[in-house]
Coordinates of all heavy atoms in Angstrom, one line a residue:
R172 N -6.6 -1.8 2.8 CA -6.7 -0.4 2.3 C -6.0 0.5 3.4 O -6.7 0.8 4.4 CB -8.1 0.0 2.1 CG -8.8 -0.8 1.0 CD -10.1 -0.4 0.5 NE -10.4 -0.9 -0.8 CZ -11.5 -0.7 -1.5 NH1 -12.4 0.1 -1.1 NH2 -11.6 -1.2 -2.7
R200 N -10.8 -5.4 4.5 CA -12.2 -5.5 3.9 C -12.3 -6.9 3.3 O -11.5 -7.3 2.4 CB -12.5 -4.5 2.9 CG -13.7 -4.7 2.1 CD -13.8 -3.7 0.9 NE -14.9 -4.0 0.1 CZ -15.1 -3.6 -1.2 NH1 -14.3 -2.8 -1.7 NH2 -16.2 -4.0 -1.8
D310 N -16.3 -1.4 1.9 CA -16.4 -0.5 0.7 C -16.8 0.9 1.1 O -16.1 1.9 0.7 CB -17.5 -1.1 -0.3 CG -17.6 -0.2 -1.5 OD1 -16.6 0.2 -2.0 OD2 -18.8 0.0 -1.9
E314 N -14.1 4.4 1.5 CA -14.3 5.6 0.7 C -14.5 6.8 1.6 O -14.0 7.9 1.4 CB -15.5 5.4 -0.3 CG -15.6 6.6 -1.2 CD -15.9 6.2 -2.6 OE1 -15.7 5.1 -3.1 OE2 -16.4 7.2 -3.4
I341 N -8.4 2.6 -4.8 CA -9.7 2.3 -4.4 C -10.7 3.2 -5.2 O -11.9 3.0 -5.1 CB -10.0 2.5 -2.9 CG1 -10.2 3.9 -2.5 CG2 -8.8 1.9 -2.0 CD1 -11.0 4.0 -1.1
Ligands
LIG26 MN1 -15.7 1.4 -3.4

Side-chain angles (χ1 to χ4, degrees):
R172 300 187 159 183
R200 167 190 176 194
D310 178 42
E314 187 138 340
I341 86 155

